[in-house]
Amino acid sequence: MRIGIDLDNTICSTNEKVMEFENEFIKKHKITVDKLWSNNNYVDIFLNEYLEMIYTEVEPKTNAVSFINKLKEQGNEIYIITARTNSHVTDMHNIINNYCHKHKLQIDGIFIDAKDKVDICKKNNIDLMIDDSFYNYDQLTSNNIDTILFDEYNKHPYIKRRVLSWNEINSKIEKKS
């Protein structure tokens, strides 16, 4: 099986890491969180200063690496499919490669700047996509791409292929088989 997995807030806890650096930034600049995110100048300064560190330092979610590596060891192909771009960083592909190496995450490929995950999944014969975005879930399932929604924050109760943690993903994949 060819499995696509989103990176931010699916494999790793990006929101939490952003908040850490956000707190540092607002103290340093003596502004509020609202002022940071409502002012494009502050947003650019924040992203230029912290985004690469956020992507480098963010930790994988509990059991994400071990489960993904287990999928790989079972003969599945694993692809990171992320909306991350080279904007505000030096080389996103290299950042993700280094992140995977650092955390011993076994993957077969990386797709960055994935604004249209349906197109990437179709062109690359992805059998299953794991993503935290309800929008992506809706688009993917509407195009007959099997998708598991990693729904840690929104908790959409009516979605059958929804998980709150990596511990739940195994049973969702086994039920498919």
Side-chain angles (χ1 to χ4, degrees):
M1 184 165 39
R2 294 170 65 90
I3 302 171
I5 307 174
D6 179 50
L7 190 54
D8 295 309
N9 301 312
T10 303
I11 293 176
C12 56
S13 301
T14 311
N15 283 351
E16 288 83 352
K17 187 53 76 174
V18 168
M19 286 189 277
E20 284 178 36
F21 285 107
E22 176 185 82
N23 289 332
E24 185 178 310
F25 185 85
I26 62 175
K27 286 177 188 172
K28 179 178 170 182
H29 292 275
K30 298 179 174 57
I31 60 170
T32 64
V33 172
D34 290 338
K35 176 104 176 181
L36 163 59
W37 297 113
S38 65
N39 180 307
N40 287 339
N41 187 45
Y42 281 129
V43 170
D44 279 342
I45 293 168
F46 176 79
L47 294 176
N48 285 332
E49 189 170 337
Y50 292 104
L51 192 59
E52 194 158 334
M53 285 189 292
I54 290 166
Y55 288 157
T56 303
E57 294 179 19
V58 66
E59 289 297 318
K61 289 183 175 285
T62 303
N63 297 324
V65 172
S66 62
F67 184 71
I68 293 166
N69 287 346
K70 178 182 163 190
L71 287 171
K72 178 78 178 125
E73 289 162 11
Q74 291 171 342
N76 298 291
E77 294 178 31
I78 307 296
Y79 298 91
I80 291 177
I81 302 175
T82 179
R84 287 184 182 184
T85 69
N86 282 319
S87 180
H88 302 286
V89 298
T90 52
D91 180 356
M92 183 54 68
H93 204 271
N94 193 45
I95 290 169
I96 295 170
N97 265 329
N98 289 340
Y99 183 84
C100 291
H101 181 74
K102 173 183 176 182
H103 294 286
K104 297 177 176 56
L105 180 60
Q106 300 171 35
I107 61 167
D108 293 287
I110 299 168
F111 297 95
I112 65 170
D113 201 13
K115 291 175 184 59
D116 184 350
K117 292 188 179 181
V118 171
D119 187 50
I120 290 170
C121 287
K122 283 184 171 187
K123 284 181 180 172
N124 294 282
N125 300 312
I126 299 297
D127 300 301
L128 172 68
M129 183 68 196
I130 303 169
D131 202 299
D132 69 309
S133 163
F134 177 76
Y135 172 81
N136 288 333
Y137 174 87
D138 188 48
Q139 294 297 307
L140 290 157
T141 57
S142 294
N143 282 276
N144 300 314
I145 298 168
D146 188 20
T147 307
I148 294 174
L149 179 64
F150 199 101
D151 195 25
E152 186 177 34
Y153 300 106
N154 300 315
K155 298 184 174 67
H156 296 281
Y158 54 89
I159 295 174
K160 291 181 178 128
R161 302 235 340 127
R162 160 189 168 278
V163 297
L164 302 176
S165 71
W166 277 95
N167 291 335
E168 294 180 54
I169 289 179
N170 191 38
S171 66
K172 294 289 183 187
I173 292 176
E174 285 179 354
K175 283 181 184 175
K176 181 185 188 300
S177 303

